[in-house]
Amino acid sequence: MSVELIDRTGSLTRIGDQPLQRQFSAATVWYATAAIAVGLAYYHWCYEGWLQTIIFSAAITSALICALTFLSRRVLFSITLIAILVASIVIASDIKQHYIEMVLHAYDVVFYLMSWSTVVYLWTDHRSMLLVLLAMITFALVSGLVLWRLDSSRVPRRSSGGLFVLFVVLSVGASYAKGERRNTQFYWDHLYVSSFYSSWSETLQTLWKGQLFDALKSQPMPPFKIPTCALQQKPPHIILIHQESVFPPSYFSEIDYDHGLDPFFKSFDGRLHKLRVETYGGASWLTEFSVLAGVSSYSFGGMRTFVQSLMQGKIHDAVPQVLARCGYHNSVFYPVPKAFVSNDRFYATVGMPEIFDYRAQGAKRFDERDRFYYANALNDIERHIAVSTSPLFTFVITSATHLPYDKTYEPNVHVSGGGPGTDPEMNEYLRRLALAHMDYDEFRTSLSKRFPNERFLIVQYGDHQPIATRTLLGFDASSFAEDIKLTPESRGLLTYYSVDGVNYSPPSLPEVDVVDVPYLGTIMLQAARLPLPDSYKERLRLLGLCDGRYFTCKKSQEILAFHRRLMDSGLIDAR
């Protein structure tokens, strides 16, 4: 038998046949709570960026503490568990960034922990990460059980509820004040907690629709088949050139420029072919994704910023995979570290495991002149042709026309910029465009001279417009790329694509005014006269049906049915 006594401090004493057990005194509870609160405040202030993101993340953390206090009435219990949650987010973000150059996203909780297959994957390939996570969960459970017994505080629900409402309002205001999330925030800004908190809205939207990818719930057509690639003759080598920040200045009558640049943008047929992309001023990987995967990044909603990371290993009919089935040897010449925004893993899973990043190419900077990357590609082509008869697919990504435009690039090279009165940024951009034109012409000539017996198809595209056009679009000169939100109809999303041949005559190109970027891979395969898989024949049909539109096609149900068919066929896994 035992008797329980509560003393004036709220301590519990059990007398009798059980050992003595006490609760923390009120002073101990509040001192400990204050210490943890100071630690949380220090972390948020020092590591969560600028004032708006600090207030945003701190307000949500405080709201979580108040919510748990409202339920439990125990303040030390609540603040300790939320502090452990914050620590877990930081540790998981740091580990994830180490491995795939991206911090923790709320969807990771769903993707990695709600599927047994992904848990097995973590245990097999990243066991230490999973063990750390299990240790944190165990620590939280033990701490929670102990503090539930020892925490003597009993906070009135009126107080905790009122504070909860206050902090929710503060977090909403801070969210509005901080504006749209930067495209690169999840990659190198290290805003672990605020990034995780802000990612819950898009995660909940994805969970609501039940998949990552916009698609109909069902469609009547049979699954696409993945045929073997039967070739009658050796196809041309294909060179795909990602022209960084390049667009035809003729799109803006306000720009005074040297019209000697115009031929750079024209195809073998002497025409300028317009391309509509899905990003402005940056986030080049969104354009790369649509070109290679053949679907719109818009179709991933709020998740589109992370589409290359999310879709690693989930696309099974990308353009490089189609080429590999036709016997192509695929490689990428990349101007920055290959782990940038997890591109190396994405490239490898869509059929391009051979990646020559800036280190492999011996680059001294991230923005070498285009001729540097072209020279490396030419040497690789020469090595390959010397030992193999298989065709090559070479993906070259340039960098010299990348921002910023506040310094003169290659000042010793005399090239024309803009006319009198041209904005300094635009003038510098036009100089770099002239260099890009010069280097491409040199590259094309070298292909013809060094490989007179080989056939080449060359496809170029502009990944997005440069930030130097923002004032022409009606935005302030101080605006950052992420601050500029454009509708799909904006001329700020227009770039170009061109198709050319060396010892090779491509077929006619689509007769549409503007082609949306997801169709470009299909156009390239057709230009190489390769047998199109069923899924690409369907893309070709949609291109005509939608007059070059994809995400904004008036017959949107056709696009959504196509997406469902891709999923039904196992060509895209959008879970």
Side-chain angles (χ1 to χ4, degrees):
M1 179 176 178
S2 65
V3 178
E4 294 180 355
L5 299 176
I6 306 288
D7 65 19
R8 286 180 299 176
T9 66
S11 299
L12 171 67
T13 306
R14 185 181 300 274
I15 303 174
D17 54 333
Q18 297 296 326
L20 212 63
Q21 185 179 14
R22 296 178 59 83
Q23 288 185 308
F24 292 141
S25 68
T28 300
V29 167
W30 290 107
Y31 282 135
T33 299
I36 296 172
V38 168
L40 286 171
Y42 174 82
Y43 172 80
H44 285 80
W45 181 259
C46 294
Y47 297 101
E48 286 301 316
W50 50 97
L51 183 60
Q52 293 92 332
T53 53
I54 292 171
I55 295 173
F56 170 74
S57 56
I60 292 181
T61 299
S62 300
L64 291 173
I65 294 169
C66 291
L68 194 53
T69 303
F70 180 85
L71 295 173
S72 68
R73 299 188 61 204
R74 294 163 167 82
V75 67
L76 181 58
F77 165 83
S78 301
I79 197 172
T80 301
L81 289 188
I82 298 304
I84 293 172
L85 172 65
V86 170
S88 300
I89 293 169
V90 172
I91 292 170
S93 290
D94 193 61
I95 292 173
K96 184 183 175 189
Q97 190 165 53
H98 172 75
Y99 281 100
I100 64 174
E101 293 288 327
M102 178 179 168
V103 303
L104 191 68
H105 189 282
Y107 191 75
D108 293 326
V109 178
V110 178
F111 178 71
Y112 285 106
L113 301 182
M114 300 302 176
S115 167
W116 179 247
S117 61
T118 53
V119 171
V120 171
Y121 159 75
L122 287 175
W123 180 255
T124 303
D125 290 357
H126 301 286
R127 188 168 303 177
S128 60
M129 292 181 0
L130 191 58
L131 289 173
V132 169
L133 176 61
L134 291 174
M136 293 297 291
I137 293 173
T138 302
F139 179 65
L141 289 174
V142 172
S143 299
L145 289 172
V146 171
L147 288 172
W148 182 267
R149 291 176 175 270
L150 299 183
D151 186 352
S152 62
S153 64
R154 298 296 183 267
V155 177
R157 287 194 168 93
R158 180 181 299 175
S159 300
S160 56
L163 287 172
F164 171 76
V165 172
L166 174 65
F167 285 124
V168 168
V169 171
L170 185 60
S171 67
V172 171
S175 177
Y176 178 80
K178 71 183 179 66
E180 294 288 337
R181 182 177 59 212
R182 297 286 191 260
N183 287 324
T184 56
Q185 181 172 320
F186 271 75
Y187 296 105
W188 60 67
D189 284 357
H190 302 287
L191 307 181
Y192 294 156
V193 177
S194 57
S195 296
F196 182 76
Y197 288 162
S198 67
S199 65
W200 271 105
S201 60
E202 62 218 21
T203 298
L204 293 173
Q205 291 173 10
T206 300
L207 293 176
W208 176 257
K209 68 182 182 182
Q211 58 198 30
L212 283 167
F213 196 39
D214 290 338
L216 296 181
K217 294 298 181 183
S218 63
Q219 59 84 36
M221 299 297 290
F224 290 120
K225 296 179 181 178
I226 302 181
T228 56
C229 183
L231 299 174
Q232 300 300 317
Q233 62 175 340
K234 180 182 175 181
H237 303 292
I238 300 174
I239 300 172
L240 178 63
I241 303 175
H242 172 112
Q243 294 286 7
E244 171 62 41
S245 304
V246 169
F247 82 106
S250 60
Y251 288 172
F252 294 87
S253 60
E254 304 95 319
I255 299 177
D256 182 5
Y257 71 100
D258 179 2
H259 287 269
L261 286 174
D262 290 344
F264 178 49
F265 304 100
K266 294 181 179 179
S267 295
F268 69 97
D269 56 10
R271 296 166 58 187
L272 172 63
H273 295 272
K274 298 176 183 177
L275 183 71
R276 182 182 290 108
V277 296
E278 298 174 350
T279 183
Y280 174 81
S284 303
W285 61 89
L286 299 179
T287 304
E288 289 179 44
F289 175 83
S290 290
V291 170
L292 299 174
V295 293
S296 170
S297 67
Y298 286 141
S299 299
F300 292 83
M303 295 293 210
R304 81 187 196 103
T305 302
F306 326 107
V307 70
Q308 301 222 92
S309 297
L310 290 171
M311 298 308 290
Q312 291 171 15
K314 295 186 174 187
I315 297 174
H316 308 292
D317 199 31
V319 170
Q321 292 167 321
V322 173
L323 292 171
R325 289 197 289 270
C326 290
Y328 277 80
H329 178 85
N330 303 336
S331 59
V332 184
F333 288 83
Y334 199 53
V336 295
K338 61 183 180 181
F340 174 71
V341 298
S342 300
N343 266 356
D344 55 342
R345 289 174 172 81
F346 176 73
Y347 289 154
T349 63
V350 297
M352 298 188 295
E354 189 170 48
I355 305 167
F356 299 98
D357 70 352
Y358 87 107
R359 289 189 182 91
Q361 294 185 74
K364 296 179 180 179
R365 57 187 186 181
F366 293 161
D367 62 343
E368 297 282 1
R369 266 188 70 171
D370 295 357
R371 61 173 53 172
F372 173 84
Y373 307 112
Y374 291 148
N376 287 330
L378 285 166
N379 291 335
D380 184 66
I381 291 169
E382 186 170 49
R383 285 192 297 268
H384 177 81
I385 289 174
V387 298
S388 175
T389 59
S390 65
L392 274 169
F393 171 59
T394 304
F395 186 24
V396 179
I397 299 173
T398 65
S399 187
T401 41
H402 196 285
L403 57 78
Y405 307 112
D406 57 357
K407 64 177 181 180
T408 303
Y409 186 89
E410 297 281 343
N412 297 326
V413 181
H414 178 70
V415 288
S416 60
T422 299
D423 176 80
E425 257 195 343
M426 178 58 72
N427 184 75
E428 174 58 22
Y429 171 75
L430 291 171
R431 284 192 68 261
R432 298 187 193 189
L433 205 54
L435 290 171
H437 185 193
M438 182 188 306
D439 290 354
Y440 173 73
D441 284 349
E442 180 184 288
F443 173 61
R444 192 184 185 286
T445 300
S446 295
L447 277 175
S448 181
K449 288 182 177 179
R450 290 176 65 171
F451 311 106
N453 300 318
E454 300 291 333
R455 299 185 304 157
F456 294 91
L457 171 69
I458 307 173
V459 177
Q460 301 181 70
Y461 67 89
D463 64 329
H464 55 71
Q465 287 189 18
I467 194 69
T469 65
R470 63 190 180 283
T471 57
L472 303 177
L473 297 170
F475 294 91
D476 187 83
S478 62
S479 300
F480 293 100
E482 291 90 343
D483 299 324
I484 297 173
K485 302 304 171 188
L486 304 176
T487 67
E489 305 301 322
S490 172
R491 64 174 178 166
L493 296 179
L494 291 179
T495 64
Y496 80 105
Y497 77 93
S498 70
V499 176
D500 197 7
V502 173
N503 304 322
Y504 177 73
S505 298
S508 299
L509 299 175
E511 293 289 340
V512 295
D513 182 41
V514 184
V515 169
D516 280 6
V517 65
Y519 294 118
L520 184 56
T522 304
I523 292 171
M524 185 177 75
L525 294 176
Q526 187 181 43
R529 293 188 171 88
L530 293 170
L532 294 181
D534 290 346
S535 60
Y536 284 87
K537 290 178 182 176
E538 180 64 6
R539 286 182 173 92
L540 201 59
R541 184 187 76 84
L542 292 171
L543 189 157
L545 180 70
C546 298
D547 194 31
R549 301 278 183 154
Y550 194 95
F551 184 76
T552 57
C553 176
K554 292 181 179 179
K555 299 184 178 180
S556 60
Q557 295 299 296
E558 293 273 358
I559 297 291
L560 296 178
F562 171 61
H563 288 174
R564 173 52 59 184
R565 197 174 176 195
L566 288 174
M567 294 165 66
D568 291 345
S569 306
L571 299 181
I572 286 185
D573 178 5
R575 293 173 294 174

